[in-house]
Amino acid sequence: MGLNPYIKGEHMELINRYFKSYDELKEFIQSKEPVLFVSSQTSTVIPYPLLEERLASWCEKQGIEKLVLGDLTSMPSNMELLDNGNLYIKGSVNWEEAIAFCQKHGRTIKTYPTEQLACIPAGVATSATGERCFGFGTLREQVISLKFMDGEGTIHTLQKKNPLEPFPELQAYQEAYLPYQALKNGPFPRLKVETDLVIGAEGQLGPILEVELETTPYEEVRYFFIHLPCWEEDDTPHLELFQKVQAFRGNVLSCEILDKHSMQLLPEQDRLKQDRDIIFLEIRGEEEAFDDVFENLLFGFESIDDEWIFEIPEERFHQIRAGVPRAIFENNQRLGVEKKGSDVQVRQENFKDLLAFYRKGKDVGLPYFLFGHFGDAHLHYNFTPKTSQVELCNIYFKGLYDRVLKWKGSPFAEHGIGLIKQRYIRNFHSETQYKVFKALKTKYDPNNIFFPMGFMSGPFEGDFSD
Ligand SMILES: Cc1cc2nc3c(=O)[nH]c(=O)nc-3n(C[C@H](O)[C@H](O)[C@H](O)COP(=O)(O)OP(=O)(O)OC[C@H]3O[C@@H](n4cnc5c(N)ncnc54)[C@H](O)[C@@H]3O)c2cc1C
């Protein structure tokens, strides 16, 4: 997924630079060059292969001739399991490495993003969530402390246990956040405790260097799938499952969906059932927990036949679950188009409405795929358009975000805003948010060098997306 090491555009140069130590990073930051720090480059909201094209005219208007793509993956990395059971990571450790490390020590981390090669500090920067958010809650709550470097090259340590130091514009911002508290991420980052400062800030206040994460004892888990009629034709079983599974959070760790269209993206041997949606449940294997789910949830449905329920090996679940977003990601890269998909989470009472809106996506007349974090009412609805069909998708998604605004849902619940989603976020932000973003940028990034085209420096005229 890397870029060419050196790309010269018509109006500006995009320079790939690798950092190998804190001293080198500090010296670079003090040189005040505009930079977009990156880790594994799996973001779905930054079109890395199209970056130079998307940024050229904006950079020209801003008088930016060079933008450094600051690759942090060569920084020295390390993992340590602390006496309190927390995992301390330094540098660009990815989720897969952290899970394997914890497992060797009889522990596991509580966040499980589908893209395991993404890095943990980047996950903190984007306020990533993932499958196990259903059972364990958000990454934001699992970050106990962290270190980041600001625009002067100073390293700050932030603690979750400390409230964020108040400043004049903060109170109105915090009040505006109240309706979104129960969602994974609101349309603007939560700013309540110290660690919130950089969680979801997408690197705009400086690179995150070290993170202390909560873990939990490792235990066996079991995976089941339930095949259902397609949600477009009959969502009665989906809605029954959605309602009932809420009472089993904690014993059910994840509740994911791949709809019948998504299954078509997989190699034939991975398709679990022809023409059916698949809902996966990850269930704690501990006897009492498992029995509770087995007896009171799995075999107690009115609209789901017992014969639609099967157990599946863990590895196969992960392979199938990750296969769908990867296929869409690769398809878009091949066609040279940006991702045209949603990352919307709604309140439980709006879940039926969300499905109804996605049902209307059929009228756009393009292939579509629904998958994601079903139990959390957080679904990814994706089109795979050709370049000439992109505008049709944009119109549809504009309608979706208008609804999400009314429902007070989360337009971008885990992938962030990046560049691609900036055109849609504008209606969710007002002076209340812009004043706070400005205050934070002035304090921590006074020269506005970190991701200067990010949402904290906006709103901008025009778009960074196709
Ligand atoms: C197939 C697929 C599945 C996915 N599934 C999930 C999922 O389940 N849950 C989820 O949340 N996301 C998911 N994503 C999105 C993506 O993986 C996440 O946004 C992830 O956190 C990005 O990590 P990265 O290392 O690739 O970061 P990058 O793409 O390199 O960077 C992402 C953002 O973080 C900033 N950044 C990177 N490193 C740092 C740092 N050290 N300090 C400060 N800022 C930094 C960058 O400037 C950029 O704004 C998925 C993506 C794909 C392609």
Side-chain angles (χ1 to χ4, degrees):
M1 287 177 199
L3 284 170
N4 295 336
Y6 184 85
I7 303 170
K8 194 165 172 28
E10 204 183 327
H11 307 290
M12 65 104 167
E13 290 171 21
L14 192 60
I15 297 168
N16 216 7
R17 176 161 175 188
Y18 292 83
F19 292 93
K20 297 203 170 85
S21 70
Y22 288 0
D23 284 346
E24 194 190 341
L25 196 60
K26 180 175 175 177
E27 195 181 316
F28 166 77
I29 285 174
Q30 289 176 338
S31 76
K32 302 180 185 166
E33 283 184 58
V35 57
L36 175 61
F37 284 114
V38 291
S39 294
S40 296
Q41 300 186 35
T42 67
S43 170
T44 59
V45 289
I46 299 184
Y48 291 112
L50 306 170
L51 203 52
E52 186 216 1
E53 188 188 307
R54 291 286 179 267
L55 293 179
S57 80
W58 184 85
C59 284
E60 194 187 12
K61 273 191 217 142
Q62 304 290 320
I64 294 178
E65 291 176 354
K66 282 182 187 167
L67 177 71
V68 173
L69 206 69
D71 194 316
L72 298 169
T73 54
S74 302
M75 292 286 280
S77 65
N78 187 38
M79 279 184 271
E80 189 188 344
L81 197 68
L82 305 179
D83 289 345
N84 59 10
N86 292 342
L87 174 70
Y88 198 88
I89 69 118
K90 198 173 169 183
S92 294
V93 171
N94 70 36
W95 295 100
E96 189 176 74
E97 292 162 343
I99 288 166
F101 177 84
C102 285
Q103 199 169 327
K104 269 197 219 144
H105 293 82
R107 313 276 307 174
T108 191
I109 46 182
K110 296 173 158 184
T111 288
Y112 206 110
T114 307
E115 182 47 84
Q116 294 274 290
L117 299 179
C119 288
I120 293 183
V124 173
T126 56
S127 194
T129 66
E131 294 153 24
R132 287 188 165 186
C133 188
F134 184 78
F136 287 126
T138 58
L139 175 63
R140 182 184 289 281
E141 295 298 347
Q142 295 151 20
V143 175
I144 303 305
S145 69
L146 59 81
K147 287 190 178 167
F148 81 102
M149 192 179 280
D150 74 8
E152 310 281 3
T154 305
I155 295 180
H156 298 262
T157 302
L158 306 178
Q159 304 280 351
K160 182 187 160 199
K161 65 175 194 283
N162 298 337
L164 192 64
E165 203 178 302
F167 53 94
E169 301 84 356
L170 187 62
Q171 194 183 344
Y173 182 102
Q174 288 176 331
E175 280 164 16
Y177 196 84
L178 292 176
Y180 302 104
Q181 283 181 111
L183 300 171
K184 296 175 173 184
N185 286 296
F188 41 94
R190 187 184 83 176
L191 287 174
K192 186 174 153 197
V193 296
E194 262 183 21
T195 40
D196 284 340
L197 197 58
V198 292
I199 300 179
E202 301 185 11
Q204 294 170 87
L205 302 179
I208 297 169
L209 309 171
E210 299 174 26
V211 182
E212 180 183 346
L213 271 187
E214 246 172 34
T215 69
T216 185
Y218 176 81
E219 61 174 57
E220 292 299 323
V221 281
R222 293 175 68 177
Y223 293 84
F224 285 77
F225 76 86
I226 307 176
H227 63 81
L228 303 173
C230 181
W231 60 279
E232 292 168 285
E233 290 138 29
D234 178 12
D235 61 13
T236 315
H238 301 70
L239 292 171
E240 186 193 355
L241 201 163
F242 177 76
Q243 289 304 334
K244 290 198 169 148
V245 76
Q246 303 304 327
F248 294 85
R249 275 178 198 267
N251 287 344
V252 173
L253 299 183
S254 61
C255 176
E256 301 283 304
I257 188 169
L258 299 179
D259 81 342
K260 80 165 183 188
H261 306 291
S262 302
M263 292 307 280
Q264 297 303 315
L265 292 164
L266 299 171
E268 205 152 337
Q269 68 274 14
D270 284 344
R271 296 180 198 161
L272 291 173
K273 194 83 188 161
Q274 204 63 29
D275 290 330
R276 304 278 284 179
D277 293 349
I278 304 291
I279 293 186
F280 296 97
L281 295 174
E282 182 186 12
I283 304 169
R284 286 181 59 208
E286 188 271 322
E287 199 178 333
E288 205 178 314
F290 181 77
D291 286 351
D292 177 37
V293 178
F294 194 80
E295 285 159 23
N296 300 316
L297 176 69
L298 272 188
F299 291 98
F301 293 114
E302 283 164 27
S303 57
I304 296 174
D305 196 303
D306 293 355
E307 292 185 359
W308 299 350
I309 304 172
F310 296 86
E311 190 158 9
I312 180 173
E314 173 168 6
E315 205 175 304
R316 192 150 150 72
F317 159 72
H318 290 305
Q319 182 190 342
I320 293 172
R321 173 63 186 87
V324 168
R326 280 202 190 126
I328 292 176
F329 189 78
E330 283 160 17
N331 185 68
N332 290 337
Q333 290 209 326
R334 204 174 45 247
L335 293 174
V337 292
E338 288 164 6
K339 183 174 189 279
K340 290 293 166 193
S342 70
D343 179 25
V344 165
Q345 184 191 19
V346 293
R347 296 142 192 274
Q348 288 176 22
E349 61 267 30
N350 294 122
F351 191 50
K352 194 174 167 54
D353 306 325
L354 181 68
L355 288 177
F357 194 88
Y358 285 150
R359 202 170 283 120
K360 287 204 279 180
K362 195 175 190 168
D363 302 340
V364 175
L366 296 173
Y368 54 94
F369 309 92
L370 183 80
F371 61 92
H373 316 299
F374 181 84
D376 283 325
H378 175 196
L379 299 176
H380 304 297
Y381 184 84
N382 280 254
F383 293 111
T384 48
K386 299 197 182 85
T387 323
S388 59
Q389 299 163 326
V390 157
E391 195 46 31
L392 294 171
C393 306
N394 292 343
I395 294 167
Y396 173 78
F397 283 122
K398 166 84 177 64
L400 171 66
Y401 295 118
D402 288 347
R403 298 292 170 99
V404 175
L405 184 66
K406 284 197 193 117
W407 295 333
K408 291 224 176 291
S410 176
F412 314 119
E414 67 180 8
H415 289 199
I417 296 167
L419 292 171
I420 291 181
K421 298 287 172 72
Q422 281 194 33
R423 66 152 65 129
Y424 298 119
I425 201 67
R426 286 176 197 141
N427 289 344
F428 291 84
H429 292 171
S430 68
E431 276 307 300
T432 307
Q433 287 77 35
Y434 291 126
K435 278 185 195 161
V436 167
F437 297 156
K438 191 159 184 215
L440 294 177
K441 278 295 247 184
T442 307
K443 183 165 179 194
Y444 294 102
D445 182 20
N447 300 303
N448 195 19
I449 56 167
F450 300 131
F451 194 1
M453 58 298 286
F455 67 86
M456 283 186 148
S457 307
F460 302 112
E461 272 175 38
D463 278 322
F464 295 112
S465 39
D466 59 18

